[in-house]
Amino acid sequence: MQERVTFLSDDLKLFGVVHVPDGLKPGECRPAIIMMHGFGANKNGGPEWVCKQFESWGYVALRFDYRGCGESEGERGRVIPMEEVSDARNAVTYMAARPEVDPDRVALCGSSLGAGVAVYAAGIDQRVAAVILENGLGNGERIIRSMHTPESWNKFLQLMDDGIRHREQTGTSKMIHRFEIFEMPKELQKNLTSNNSLMHFTAETAVGFFMFRPEEMIGKIAPRPILILHSARDRVCRFEEAFSMARLANPPFELHLLDGMDHFMFVDTHPGVAATLRNWLNQYFPVRAAK
């Protein structure tokens, strides 16, 4: 069963879909997994695929649009990672209150920027029971720098300065194109257009992304389990992001570097992804008899 839902985050209405597995007995509670999309994306596409997997394995799952994305309220194109951390924590509050969810067993799962948000939220919120990262961001500055030439990097730094001055002088946000922040390889751009991802953002978005350092929070998650799933050939969040997360994490955690796919692991799916994910869940975050 899929149920369209809304919940509040800092007085903004966020829209989502809850997947409820078949066969729930009256009064039964199940573990829940909240799936969070990547930079400027939305709850459809990859989040829908993985939530259907979670549902089929017996979990209650939520996919939702961050503020300013998809159907949710908020300034369009304002994608500030620390504001998305608030959205993630409010999603935990919402799911923990649902009658079919065990409030002590709510996990966060995220793709790309959403994975970084999951790490940061879990680092400061002990209610998060487990974390799953898919091609996650560990350090915003490092990712942006890796996708620029020296010339375009200087242009990006100037863009951030111009955006700050524009806000000071006008009180409004200067809008910039996604590829002024970082350009995605041409053959991957179809995943943006097919999912109606945002292409224009506020200059404050670039600053917020640049300053975001979720890798600094991952060591605070233990002893709650962490799964790091990463594509060996990811050309957006390169495998160095996964290695950095693994170096700074404390056990229990697993790092799985998978071949045969690029950045959109939950979109261009591979049989190994679902198998790895399910095996880890069975070991570290299993469906079991609820209280």
Side-chain angles (χ1 to χ4, degrees):
M1 183 185 74
Q2 297 184 32
E3 175 188 353
R4 285 179 54 84
V5 300
T6 62
F7 61 94
L8 290 178
S9 183
D10 300 337
D11 295 324
L12 295 170
K13 184 185 290 187
L14 306 188
F15 284 74
V17 176
V18 172
H19 294 243
V20 180
D22 294 333
L24 257 69
K25 298 175 183 177
E28 181 183 6
C29 295
R30 295 280 183 90
I33 305 176
I34 299 169
M35 175 63 211
M36 298 181 296
H37 62 76
F39 179 65
N42 55 65
K43 64 183 176 296
N44 300 317
E48 181 176 7
W49 174 83
V50 77
C51 283
K52 285 180 177 179
Q53 300 298 310
F54 294 147
E55 176 189 354
S56 70
W57 299 335
Y59 298 87
V60 182
L62 166 69
R63 51 188 169 96
F64 72 94
D65 297 324
Y66 286 123
R67 67 183 72 190
C69 297
E71 297 179 280
S72 291
E73 293 180 347
E75 183 180 351
R76 195 61 33 178
R78 179 181 170 89
V79 176
I80 309 299
M82 291 306 299
E83 293 178 355
E84 294 188 342
V85 169
S86 294
D87 294 344
R89 299 182 69 192
N90 284 310
V92 172
T93 299
Y94 169 75
M95 288 298 279
R98 286 186 63 98
E100 69 273 69
V101 170
D102 181 344
D104 296 325
R105 304 188 70 219
V106 179
L108 291 178
C109 176
S111 290
S112 193
L113 175 57
V117 170
V119 168
Y120 206 104
I124 61 176
D125 195 330
Q126 292 294 316
R127 297 176 302 163
V128 179
V131 180
I132 300 167
L133 315 178
E134 180 252 330
N135 286 335
L137 174 156
N139 182 300
E141 178 183 355
R142 185 171 59 229
I143 284 183
I144 296 174
R145 186 184 285 269
S146 74
M147 302 186 75
H148 280 279
T149 65
E151 179 182 356
S152 66
W153 175 247
N154 290 330
K155 182 179 178 182
F156 171 75
L157 295 177
Q158 185 63 52
L159 179 148
M160 288 197 296
D161 288 341
D162 292 345
I164 293 170
R165 284 197 297 272
H166 186 276
R167 165 65 75 172
E168 291 172 348
Q169 293 168 0
T170 69
T172 62
S173 295
K174 179 180 175 66
M175 299 303 292
I176 59 177
H177 195 276
R178 169 188 285 264
F179 297 150
E180 292 183 274
I181 303 173
F182 49 78
E183 184 169 359
M184 183 176 292
K186 300 294 185 188
E187 58 271 28
L188 297 179
Q189 293 177 16
K190 68 181 190 307
N191 291 287
L192 304 177
T193 54
S194 66
N195 198 36
N196 293 318
S197 293
L198 298 176
M199 297 302 291
H200 292 87
F201 298 87
T202 66
E204 291 80 19
T205 293
V207 176
F209 196 107
F210 179 86
M211 297 178 63
F212 194 43
R213 307 282 192 275
E215 64 187 7
E216 297 175 359
M217 300 299 296
I218 198 167
K220 299 179 182 295
I221 296 175
R224 294 164 289 163
I226 304 168
L227 172 62
I228 304 171
L229 282 173
H230 215 93
S231 301
R233 300 174 189 241
D234 190 342
R235 289 172 289 171
V236 179
C237 294
R238 300 179 188 275
F239 62 79
E240 288 87 356
E241 298 300 306
F243 288 172
S244 179
M245 289 283 204
R247 281 192 297 268
L248 295 168
N250 292 310
F253 73 89
E254 288 187 5
L255 166 61
H256 292 261
L257 200 61
L258 305 176
D259 198 10
M261 63 206 79
D262 211 302
H263 184 62
F264 295 98
M265 186 184 288
F266 286 170
V267 177
D268 300 321
T269 55
H270 184 283
V273 174
T276 302
L277 188 53
R278 188 171 191 183
N279 288 340
W280 183 86
L281 286 168
N282 287 341
Q283 182 174 356
Y284 291 101
F285 195 66
V287 173
R288 62 175 184 240
K291 344 180 215 185

